Amino acid sequence: MPDTLLPQPVDLARVETAVDALGYQFLAADDRLIMPWPNHRISVYFGQESGLHLTMLARMRMTLDLSMINEVAPVLNTWNTERIAPAALLHIADMGEVEIHFRSSLSVDEGVSTDQLMQFIQLTINTVEMAVDTVLEMFSELDIDGAGSDELRTEQDESDLTE
């Protein structure tokens, strides 16, 4: 049996290798990776839910005003009823703005094969991109562009590394 099909323990170094092999850019910290995109970024980290899970949490870069919550919630509910993953989440930030997140996780308690790890990462990236595109179609104000957008992206990515 090829090595790529044998379950092996998962650590951050192995995740970095997989993300790199898939051709994606990332920023690394001691306990997570940040994968930047223009309108969102994905944090990859280990969580303890019901055992050890590799979690990929995408966060839209822009937020909506709290007054939009009644328009956003049905869109995210529809996404969640039509798809298995990533789960669309609505988060109210400290200042009352509405943040949109997308989350997928993979149980790695018993280890996973390289193929499984790479497929999970690639599938999550693909479905997050689809989710972001769906949300942007409905809420174009979440599209980040213009003066200061590059600085905002850099600030968010660096903040996520130390969060």
Side-chain angles (χ1 to χ4, degrees):
M1 182 179 300
D3 285 346
T4 60
L5 299 178
L6 296 174
Q8 300 171 14
V10 180
D11 60 13
L12 199 56
R14 192 160 169 233
V15 174
E16 283 185 33
T17 300
V19 170
D20 190 51
L22 290 167
Y24 292 101
Q25 294 180 341
F26 62 89
L27 306 169
D30 291 340
D31 63 346
R32 75 192 71 202
L33 302 180
I34 304 298
M35 301 172 66
W37 271 267
N39 286 305
H40 69 285
R41 70 265 194 209
I42 300 175
S43 298
V44 184
Y45 58 91
F46 292 97
Q48 288 285 345
E49 295 155 8
S50 55
L52 186 64
H53 279 73
L54 179 63
T55 301
M56 295 181 72
L57 177 68
R59 297 167 60 186
M60 297 291 297
R61 292 193 180 274
M62 300 299 288
T63 60
L64 296 168
D65 187 82
L66 187 57
S67 65
M68 300 285 293
I69 197 164
N70 290 331
E71 296 169 44
V72 175
V75 171
L76 301 185
N77 283 338
T78 299
W79 173 270
N80 288 334
T81 59
E82 293 176 354
R83 291 168 185 83
I84 295 172
L89 308 166
L90 187 138
H91 177 76
I92 307 299
D94 293 339
M95 301 301 286
E97 61 271 326
V98 176
E99 294 180 356
I100 298 173
H101 300 181
F102 300 98
R103 184 181 175 286
S104 290
S105 67
L106 174 69
S107 175
V108 294
D109 250 350
E110 304 297 321
V112 296
S113 71
T114 299
D115 286 354
Q116 289 171 320
L117 179 60
M118 292 181 73
Q119 287 175 13
F120 168 72
I121 293 168
Q122 185 65 66
L123 182 60
T124 299
I125 289 169
N126 292 348
T127 54
V128 162
E129 288 177 332
M130 185 172 35
V132 167
D133 288 345
T134 299
V135 168
L136 287 172
E137 285 176 19
M138 304 295 290
F139 305 99
S140 60
E141 57 267 49
L142 292 172
D143 192 2
I144 182 173
D145 60 2
S149 58
D150 288 338
E151 292 82 5
L152 176 61
R153 288 182 187 109
T154 300
E155 179 183 313
Q156 289 173 337
D157 295 344
E158 290 174 359
S159 174
D160 285 355
L161 278 176
T162 60
E163 191 174 83

